[in-house]
């Protein structure tokens, strides 16, 4: 019996038993409604009094004898949609318990009816139906690990050892200060440090909290997959989160199974369950073999089919597994790891400097070499009070610890994180979904991009533009020029050997064609040019066996049996030269079978080659009649001695922006290699269109190779030739993987683009997957004079500016086209380049010179006391950092203001920094230990800091290789 007969009826045309039952119920409901309407009309027209109604009326409708006979003998005859226990059904599918499926639910076909769906048309998909199913069985969403709150990030920031030491010092200073000077004046030193620490911690916590929220959002989007379902007879894509129990999902090679379910129909369906079981062998799924079970999270390895969704969300195997795994969103990228190492190294240097400062200051204080504001010795063993000693000691410890805090550039990893997160956000606006944060960074280091053709370099919008039957070219109106025999065979070949579908709700409505771009193009040609009626072809023939398309064989086949005929027919469709090699005969357009001798074969090969040079993908159709002997078909004969039906040329135009992008990459030193399944001629034409190949380059220069040729090279030959290859045609997934491995062995950072199905091995193997300074001024000043010119609060403020605000300002700089003029950074390149060292050393020398001059000669230059001098040093130091942020925008370009108006956030942060600095100096005297400066002193601070710009310009004149 045909696979759809149980839905509509038997061969005689009579309706099935389940449909007869439905029609009786529908007729009864209509009759009952009509009777009520008649009675209501009668009462209204005769103006009769209405009788008082009963509280309810129960009408017991007994099934007829026919209905009783139609019911199955199994124990689930009264099972309805609401009777199904979601967890029980989920357990049966998870355990792959076929016996329980049969005894409790009557098998797959009965479960389809119970779930009020249809194996061919799916659910009706109305809003009320979807809500009802979600209420009964849940939504296809997973319970996530609880998101860390802001307080957790605050606590993490406080856990830093250095911060804890500084906080202890501040609290002790607060206690001793209040004890010595009272509440009114004693809290300023300790309280100011506590507040400054709290400010640094809060800013860090806010940054990390916002980053975490953004990553959570990105994580949700990265797990959103498009799935094709059938609803109300129509195939259309939906998000994985919208799948409900009862949905009929279409599956093809490479698809991830979106929920737990049962196999309905399909051919050669094999599933890779290694992600769930660890077993690498592919599992064959079929209704006949008592294994119709499909588990979420696994992938379709071969074939195609449809599945009935039985469990979603937390009731699935994948849902349980995902909820128990806490995905680490704060992944560390390679650059961040290198920066962490550098930060650690700088921290050790800072710790050593701090220890030296602590030792020197302690020795100077306790040996009486330091004086107070009145010029008297600070320490006198017999006269100095214990509280005074403790305050000075705590101040020295705080200064030493603060040097450590300032020395460690913890803002660097934050800057990288902010930059990458910002890049991800911008890439998503360009419809580029980044699934791993590190890809944004690693992509910048790529030296070679191995790109797929279809959908990447081309638009993936196929259309049949050229057709040949035998040696004759057909014009647009194909059907009138072809024999009915050939048309009939082509209709069978296209209509039955396809993973696409044709849907036409009514004769008046438009035809909807779905499937892959290639399938859609061929089906569109068959429907509109050859008059293909999918339903008629499906009813006339039974499909016996299907061999799904795979990238190794480059073709797909189907074995069919026509009704009322004993013989079988094998139909093949695939790459033209491969199918042609299997043919011994061909049909001409008059329907005459002719032998394919050398002359005709060369002529057809020439036609295929000419189409390929016009960038057409050539698909050939062939068939063979097979006789059945003792119920068996000779498998070997299916793929030889075929009769060619015709060749179609499909056009997939290049994306208009591709040529410019390829030229930009090549100019930036990034090589582009195109790897495609098309033949050499098509691949060459597309590569020339895209700018990957120059018209003069051909296969003799080894710029183009075929996959089999590359595969057969010795490892030494492969390594020697791989960099010269620009195009690899007729490639398999193994060839692509081999090329990626070979390029990585040669030290390249390799990026791979692909559709994620047959390219999975290569994608997995591929890699794609700030100016800084160290504070030295406090160390020199403290060792030489015994005084630290910048207080703990001031140093923490500088740290906040340099590590956090500057990082945020520079991280949001938009990328410019000039970046593509730089060569990619190799995987072993130094983190700080020579250009960076040039800029860092120059500005560090300038700042140290200025600040030491102010430290030792500032009082005489400005004629001020110690406190005002220290405030000028603090003010100048902060403004130097602000001016240097502009230099850091452009490491090589002399015009550091180019495009600055486009980065509003940068300007806003600079403005906020300056405003806060004015507040610190002019209004927060006791908090920041500053003195108010006059206009001249402000002008001097700004003038000195502004020298960073001309110095930066001059430094960039120094050539660096």
């Amino acid at each position: 019996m045909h696979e759809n007969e149980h839905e509509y009826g038997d061969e005689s045309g009579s309706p099935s038993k389940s449909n007869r039952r439905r029609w009786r119920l529908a007729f009864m409901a209509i009759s009952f409604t009509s009777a009520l309407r008649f009675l209501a009309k009668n009462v209204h027209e005769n103006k009769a009094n209405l009788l008082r109604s009963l509280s309810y009326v129960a009408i017991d409708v007994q099934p007829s004898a026919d209905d009783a006979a139609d019911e199955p003998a199994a124990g689930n005859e009264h099972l309805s949609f609401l009777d199904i226990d979601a967890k029980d059904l989920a357990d049966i599918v998870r355990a792959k318990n076929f016996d329980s499926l049969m005894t409790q639910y009557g098998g797959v076909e009965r479960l389809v009816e119970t779930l009020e769906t249809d194996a061919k048309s799916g659910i009706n998909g109305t809003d009320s139906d979807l809500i009802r199913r979600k209420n009964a069985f849940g939504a296809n969403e997973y319970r996530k690990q609880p998101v860390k709150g802001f307080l957790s990030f605050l606590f993490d920031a406080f856990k830093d050892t250095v911060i804890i030491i500084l906080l202890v010092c501040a609290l002790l200073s607060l206690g001793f200060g209040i004890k010595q000077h009272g509440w009114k004046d004693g809290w300023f030193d300790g309280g100011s440090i506590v507040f400054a620490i709290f400010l640094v911690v809060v800013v860090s916590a806010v940054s990390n909290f916002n980053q975490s929220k953004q990553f959570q959002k990105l994580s949700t989007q990265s797990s959103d997959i498009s799935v094709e379902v059938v609803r109300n007879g129509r195939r259309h894509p939906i998000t994985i989160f919208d799948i409900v129990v009862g949905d009929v999902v279409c599956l093809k090679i490479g698809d991830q199974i979106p929920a737990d379910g049962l196999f309905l129909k399909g051919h050669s369906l094999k599933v890779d369950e290694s992600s769930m079981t660890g077993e690498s062998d592919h599992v064959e799924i079929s209704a006949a073999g008592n294994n119709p079970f499909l588990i979420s999270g696994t992938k379709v390895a071969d074939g195609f089919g449809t599945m009935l969704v039985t469990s979603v969300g937390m009731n699935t195997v994948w849902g349980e597994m995902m909820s128990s795994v806490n995905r680490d969103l704060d992944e560390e990228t390679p650059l961040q790891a290198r920066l962490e190492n550098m930060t650690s190294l700088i921290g050790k240097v800072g710790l050593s400097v701090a220890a030296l400062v602590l030792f020197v200051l302690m020795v100077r204080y306790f040996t009486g070499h330091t004086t107070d504001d009145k010029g008297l010795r600070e320490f006198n063993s017999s006269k100095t009070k214990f509280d005074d000693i403790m305050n000075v000691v705590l101040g020295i410890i705080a200064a030493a610890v603060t040097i450590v805090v300032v020395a460690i550039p913890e803002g660097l990893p934050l800057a990288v994180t902010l930059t990458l997160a910002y890049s991800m956000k911008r890439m998503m606006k360009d419809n580029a979904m980044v699934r791993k944060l590190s890809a944004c960074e690693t992509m910048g280091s790529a030296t070679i991009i191995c790109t797929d053709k279809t959908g990447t370099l081309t638009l993936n919008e196929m259309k049949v533009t050229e057709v040949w039957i035998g040696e004759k070219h057909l014009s647009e109106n194909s059907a009138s020029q072809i024999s009915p025999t050939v048309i009939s065979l082509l209709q069978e070949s296209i209509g039955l050997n396809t993973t696409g579908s044709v849907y036409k709700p009514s004769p008046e409505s438009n035809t909807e064609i779905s499937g892959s771009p290639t399938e859609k193009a061929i089906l569109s040609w068959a429907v509109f040019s050859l008059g293909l009626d999918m339903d008629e072809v499906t009813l006339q023939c039974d499909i016996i066996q299907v061999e799904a398309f795979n990238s190794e064989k480059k073709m797909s086949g189907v074995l069919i049996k026509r009704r009322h005929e004993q013989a079988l027919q094998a139909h093949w469709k695939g790459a033209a030269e491969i199918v042609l090699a299997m043919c011994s005969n061909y049909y001409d357009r008059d329907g005459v079978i002719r032998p394919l001798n050398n002359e005709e074969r060369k002529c057809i090969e020439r036609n295929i080659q000419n189409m390929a040079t016009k960038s057409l993908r050539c698909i050939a159709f062939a068939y063979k009649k097979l006789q059945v002997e003792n119920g068996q078909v000779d498998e070997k004969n299916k793929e030889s001695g075929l009769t060619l039906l015709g060749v179609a040329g499909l056009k997939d135009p290049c994306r208009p922006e591709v040529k410019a992008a390829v030229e930009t990459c090549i100019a930036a030193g990034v090589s582009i290699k195109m790897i495609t399944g098309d033949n050499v001629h098509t691949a060459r034409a597309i590569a020339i269109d895209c700018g990957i190949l120059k018209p003069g380059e051909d296969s003799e220069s080894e710029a183009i190779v075929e996959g089999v040729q590359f595969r057969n090279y010795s490892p030494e030959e492969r390594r020697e030739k791989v960099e010269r290859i620009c195009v690899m045609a007729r490639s398999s997934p193994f060839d692509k993987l081999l090329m990626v491995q070979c390029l990585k062995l040669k030290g390249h950072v390799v990026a791979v683009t692909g559709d994620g199905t047959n390219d999975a091995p290569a994608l997995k193997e591929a890699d794609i997957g700030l100016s800084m300074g160290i504070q030295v001024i406090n160390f020199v000043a403290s060792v030489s004079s015994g005084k630290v010119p910048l207080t703990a609060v001031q140093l923490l403020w500088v740290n906040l500016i340099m590590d956090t605000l500057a990082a945020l300002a520079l991280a949001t700089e938009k990328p410019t086209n000039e970046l593509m003029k730089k060569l990619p950074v190799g995987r072993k390149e130094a983190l700080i380049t020579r250009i960076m060292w040039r800029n860092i050393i120059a500005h560090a020398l300038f700042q140290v010179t200025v600040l030491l001059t102010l430290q030792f000669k500032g009082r005489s230059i400005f004629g001020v006391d110690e406190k005002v001098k220290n405030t000028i040093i603090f003010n100048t130091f902060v403004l130097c950092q602000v001016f240097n942020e502009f230099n850091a925008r452009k490491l090589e370009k002399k015009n550091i203001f180019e495009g600055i108006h486009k980065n509003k956030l940068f300007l806003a942060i600079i403005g906020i920094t300056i405003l806060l600095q004015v507040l610190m100096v002019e209004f927060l005297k006791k908090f920041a230990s500053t003195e108010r400066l006059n206009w001249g002193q402000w002008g001097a601070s700004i003038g000195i800091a502004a020298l960073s710009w001309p110095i930066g310009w001059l430094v960039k004149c120094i050539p660096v290789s």
Side-chain angles (χ1 to χ4, degrees):
M1 183 182 278
H2 186 261
E3 62 187 356
N4 293 323
E5 284 176 9
H6 72 277
E7 290 292 334
Y8 305 106
D10 56 26
E11 290 187 22
S12 65
S14 62
S16 67
K17 292 178 179 179
S18 59
N19 280 339
R20 286 207 303 273
R21 204 160 53 244
R22 289 174 190 163
W23 276 113
R24 284 196 202 95
L25 288 170
F27 181 77
M28 198 177 296
I30 294 166
S31 301
F32 186 73
T33 308
S34 299
L36 286 175
R37 184 171 167 273
F38 174 78
L39 289 170
K41 186 180 179 185
N42 190 34
V43 168
H44 179 73
E45 287 176 355
N46 296 329
K47 296 182 180 177
N49 291 326
L50 286 169
L51 294 172
R52 181 182 173 87
S53 66
L54 298 171
S55 60
Y56 66 90
V57 177
I59 301 174
D60 188 14
V61 180
Q62 296 293 333
S64 65
D66 285 345
D67 283 343
D70 289 345
E71 292 296 331
N76 62 332
E77 60 267 25
H78 298 298
L79 205 61
S80 71
F81 180 87
L82 295 173
D83 293 329
I84 294 177
D85 183 338
K87 190 170 188 319
D88 180 56
L89 180 57
D91 290 340
I92 288 172
V93 175
R94 182 184 294 126
K96 299 187 177 182
N97 193 331
F98 189 76
D99 293 336
S100 295
L101 180 68
M102 293 301 295
T103 55
Q104 289 182 237
Y105 297 101
V108 177
E109 290 183 8
R110 285 290 295 154
L111 186 58
V112 167
E113 287 185 24
T114 307
L115 288 173
E116 298 178 17
T117 184
D118 186 279
K120 185 178 181 183
S121 303
I123 60 174
N124 60 40
T126 60
D127 289 341
S128 59
D129 184 39
L130 293 175
I131 291 167
R132 184 174 64 116
R133 292 175 186 276
K134 283 182 180 178
N135 288 338
F137 297 99
N140 197 31
E141 293 171 355
Y142 309 129
R143 186 169 58 243
K144 295 177 181 175
Q145 292 287 332
V147 180
K148 278 175 73 175
F150 176 71
L151 289 176
S152 298
F153 286 101
L154 200 64
F155 181 69
D156 288 343
F158 265 118
K159 282 196 294 188
D160 186 272
T161 310
V162 179
I163 291 288
I164 291 169
I165 295 170
L166 203 56
L167 194 59
V168 169
C169 290
L171 291 171
L172 288 171
S173 176
L174 190 66
F176 283 109
I178 292 169
K179 184 182 176 186
Q180 187 178 7
H181 301 293
W183 278 99
K184 188 176 180 183
D185 298 317
W187 68 273
F188 285 120
D189 287 344
S192 299
I193 299 173
V194 170
F195 182 75
I197 291 168
F198 183 73
L199 189 65
V200 170
V201 165
V202 166
V203 169
S204 175
V206 167
S207 298
N208 290 333
F209 178 63
N210 287 335
Q211 172 194 323
S212 175
K213 280 205 306 185
Q214 190 176 27
F215 285 176
Q216 288 287 347
K217 187 178 175 185
L218 288 170
S219 173
T220 303
Q221 287 176 284
S222 70
S223 57
D224 186 4
I225 301 166
S226 181
V227 180
E228 196 171 55
V229 298
V230 181
R231 287 181 180 173
N232 201 21
R234 185 175 303 179
R235 277 169 71 163
H236 57 105
I238 62 168
T239 169
I240 192 173
F241 303 128
D242 288 343
I243 285 178
V244 294
V245 168
D247 258 325
V248 174
V249 180
C250 303
L251 300 172
K252 61 183 184 300
I253 294 178
D255 283 352
Q256 180 177 309
I257 294 170
D260 288 359
L262 298 166
F263 176 77
L264 289 174
K265 60 178 181 178
H267 296 280
S268 309
L269 190 67
K270 290 183 180 178
V271 174
D272 177 6
E273 295 187 349
S274 58
S275 60
M276 305 303 296
T277 63
E279 297 294 329
S280 58
D281 292 340
H282 294 163
V283 178
E284 190 165 351
I285 307 295
S286 67
N290 293 353
N291 184 28
F293 304 102
L294 291 157
I295 306 299
S296 56
T298 59
K299 285 201 171 185
V300 178
D302 198 7
F304 61 91
T306 57
M307 70 172 275
L308 170 72
V309 175
T310 57
S311 310
V312 292
M314 292 309 301
N315 282 330
T316 65
V317 177
W318 186 251
E320 279 192 1
M321 193 167 125
M322 288 302 288
S323 66
S324 64
V325 175
N326 186 15
R327 183 179 170 191
D328 184 15
L329 294 171
D330 303 329
E331 55 172 309
E332 194 177 62
T333 71
L335 178 58
Q336 282 173 319
R338 291 164 80 188
L339 282 173
E340 287 291 350
N341 292 335
M342 178 183 282
T343 300
S344 175
L345 178 63
I346 293 169
K348 287 171 185 174
V349 173
L351 202 59
S352 304
V353 171
L356 187 58
V357 167
L358 183 66
F359 175 74
V360 170
L361 290 181
M362 286 289 193
V363 169
R364 289 179 67 89
Y365 174 73
F366 284 110
T367 54
H369 285 80
T370 57
T371 56
D372 59 18
D373 294 337
K374 296 175 184 177
L376 301 172
R377 283 175 60 180
E378 280 188 300
F379 179 76
N380 189 316
S381 57
S382 58
K383 295 178 183 178
T384 309
K385 293 178 184 178
F386 176 75
D387 287 354
D388 289 337
I389 294 171
M390 285 307 300
N391 271 331
V392 172
V393 168
L394 287 170
I396 291 170
I397 293 170
V401 172
T402 308
I403 286 174
V404 178
V405 174
V406 176
I408 298 172
E410 65 271 7
L412 283 176
L414 172 66
V416 175
T417 304
L418 289 168
T419 305
L420 296 178
Y422 186 72
S423 301
M424 283 179 90
K425 210 170 179 182
R426 286 187 59 80
M427 288 176 79
M428 287 179 72
K429 284 183 182 176
D430 296 332
N431 297 320
M433 181 66 233
V434 181
R435 294 191 182 271
K436 290 198 81 176
L437 184 70
S438 56
C440 292
E441 172 197 312
T442 316
M443 194 64 191
S445 300
T447 54
I448 288 180
I449 300 173
C450 296
T451 177
D452 194 18
K453 177 185 77 71
T454 307
T456 307
L457 301 177
T458 60
L459 290 168
N460 207 12
E461 294 173 1
M462 299 280 192
K463 185 182 178 184
V464 174
T465 58
E466 200 168 316
V467 178
W468 290 77
I469 302 294
E471 300 174 32
K472 301 293 182 182
H473 176 256
L474 302 182
S475 61
E476 288 294 320
N477 189 12
S478 307
S480 60
Q481 304 169 44
I482 311 173
S483 155
T485 305
V486 179
I487 287 179
S488 176
L489 286 167
L490 280 170
Q491 286 176 344
E492 283 179 3
S493 184
I494 295 168
L496 299 173
N497 187 10
T498 184
T499 55
S501 68
V502 178
Y503 176 73
K504 189 164 184 164
S506 64
E508 298 79 27
S509 58
N510 292 327
T511 304
E512 295 178 16
I513 298 172
S514 59
S516 69
T518 303
E519 296 288 357
K520 281 170 72 174
I522 294 169
L523 283 171
S524 297
W525 170 61
V527 168
F528 299 115
S529 295
L530 302 179
L532 169 65
D533 184 334
M534 283 285 277
D535 291 332
E536 188 180 332
V537 170
T538 306
L539 286 170
Q540 292 296 325
C541 306
D542 290 331
I543 295 174
I544 308 300
Q545 186 183 339
V546 170
E547 188 163 328
F549 178 87
N550 67 62
S551 51
E552 289 287 342
K553 294 187 78 170
K554 307 289 183 194
M555 60 182 182
S556 62
V558 62
L559 189 65
I560 66 165
K561 179 184 177 298
R562 286 182 186 160
R563 299 286 169 85
H564 318 302
E565 282 189 19
Q566 289 301 314
L568 301 180
Q569 291 185 23
H571 281 280
W572 293 96
K573 172 184 75 179
E577 67 271 26
I578 291 174
V579 173
L580 180 64
M582 296 159 58
C583 293
S584 304
N585 307 291
Y586 73 96
Y587 265 109
D588 65 15
R589 64 180 178 182
D590 298 321
V592 178
I593 297 177
R594 299 185 181 276
L596 197 59
N597 57 36
N598 285 338
E599 193 176 330
E600 275 86 6
R601 189 180 292 277
K602 283 180 182 176
C603 179
I604 294 171
E605 283 174 350
R606 197 160 47 247
N607 293 337
I608 291 169
Q609 189 171 326
N610 289 337
M611 280 196 281
T613 54
K614 290 185 273 186
S615 305
L616 299 184
R617 173 180 282 183
C618 301
I619 305 293
F621 306 92
Y623 99 111
K624 183 180 184 178
K625 258 190 181 175
L626 299 165
Q627 295 300 324
V628 181
E629 295 179 9
N630 301 322
Q632 296 292 320
V633 178
D634 188 351
E635 292 289 323
K636 291 180 182 177
N637 286 336
K638 285 196 308 184
E639 300 183 24
S640 61
L642 307 183
T643 302
L644 184 70
L645 296 173
V647 179
L650 283 70
K651 182 72 174 176
D652 185 13
C654 273
R655 293 181 183 275
E657 68 274 15
V658 160
K659 192 161 189 177
V662 168
E663 286 172 359
T664 305
C665 286
I666 291 170
V670 181
S671 300
I672 309 287
K673 298 187 186 299
M674 185 178 88
I675 304 173
T676 177
D678 286 331
N679 67 34
V680 169
H681 308 293
T682 307
R684 181 188 286 114
I686 292 285
I688 289 170
D689 285 351
C690 296
I692 293 170
L693 268 185
K694 291 172 185 170
E697 289 181 292
D698 56 22
S699 54
E700 289 178 13
S701 67
E702 295 181 327
I704 303 177
V705 296
E706 284 196 338
V708 65
Q709 191 180 345
F710 184 75
R711 200 182 316 151
N712 292 331
Y713 283 150
S714 68
E716 292 74 24
E717 278 183 298
R718 215 177 287 126
R719 276 200 297 274
E720 192 263 321
K721 295 180 178 181
V722 69
E723 289 181 320
R724 295 200 295 274
I725 296 168
C726 296
V727 178
M728 184 156 69
R730 280 285 172 252
S731 67
S732 70
F734 176 74
D735 300 326
K736 196 166 189 174
L737 174 64
L738 209 56
M739 175 169 271
V740 171
Q741 288 170 338
C742 194
L743 288 166
K744 284 182 74 176
L745 280 172
K746 298 222 34 165
H748 290 286
V749 177
V750 186
V752 170
T753 69
D755 55 17
T757 53
N758 58 344
D759 295 318
L763 287 165
K764 192 173 181 181
E765 179 70 21
D767 294 293
I768 322 284
L770 282 163
S771 181
M772 51 164 282
I774 303 169
Q775 283 67 35
V776 290
I777 183 66
N778 262 25
F779 166 66
V780 177
S782 61
V783 170
S784 58
S785 68
K787 291 281 186 181
V788 181
L790 303 184
T791 67
V793 173
Q794 291 171 353
L795 281 170
L796 286 170
W797 168 236
V798 171
N799 189 54
L800 188 68
I801 291 172
M802 294 185 72
D803 280 358
T804 307
L805 295 178
L808 187 62
L810 294 170
T812 54
E813 276 289 332
K814 292 182 181 178
T816 60
N817 291 331
E818 281 76 22
L819 285 173
M820 293 306 293
K821 293 177 183 174
K822 295 180 180 178
L823 293 174
V825 180
R827 98 178 44 241
K828 293 179 182 176
E829 293 288 327
L831 187 60
I832 302 177
T833 64
R834 291 181 179 182
I835 289 167
M836 288 181 189
W837 275 121
R838 179 193 66 186
N839 297 352
I840 289 167
I841 291 168
H843 287 288
L845 286 173
F846 163 67
Q847 288 185 22
V848 168
T849 304
V850 166
L851 297 174
L852 286 179
T853 302
L854 289 174
Q855 169 67 14
F856 295 112
K857 299 290 182 183
R859 288 181 68 172
S860 58
I861 292 170
F862 291 101
V864 294
D865 61 21
E866 188 71 17
K867 278 193 172 180
V868 174
K869 181 206 75 173
N870 286 344
T871 303
I872 292 170
I873 291 174
F874 168 58
N875 201 33
T876 306
F877 188 39
V878 169
L879 291 173
C880 278
Q881 313 318 314
V882 171
F883 277 89
N884 204 33
E885 281 180 44
F886 289 86
N887 288 323
R889 290 184 69 243
K890 310 281 182 185
L891 294 178
E892 295 179 75
K893 286 191 121 186
K894 292 177 182 176
N895 182 5
I896 57 175
F897 304 107
E898 186 182 344
I900 199 166
H901 61 285
K902 294 178 182 175
N903 194 345
K904 303 288 191 296
L905 187 59
F906 179 88
L907 295 172
I909 290 170
I910 293 290
I912 290 167
T913 306
I914 293 170
L915 181 65
L916 289 173
Q917 179 63 13
V918 171
L919 285 172
M920 290 273 283
V921 171
E922 297 294 317
F923 302 102
L924 299 174
K925 290 172 62 180
K926 289 191 176 179
F927 167 73
S929 302
T930 56
E931 291 291 325
R932 295 189 73 167
L933 301 179
N934 59 34
W935 286 106
Q937 290 158 354
W938 267 104
S941 298
I942 293 168
I944 293 167
L947 287 173
S948 297
W949 288 350
I951 287 169
W953 188 88
L954 287 169
V955 165
K956 286 170 186 173
C957 294
I958 301 170
V960 177
S961 60

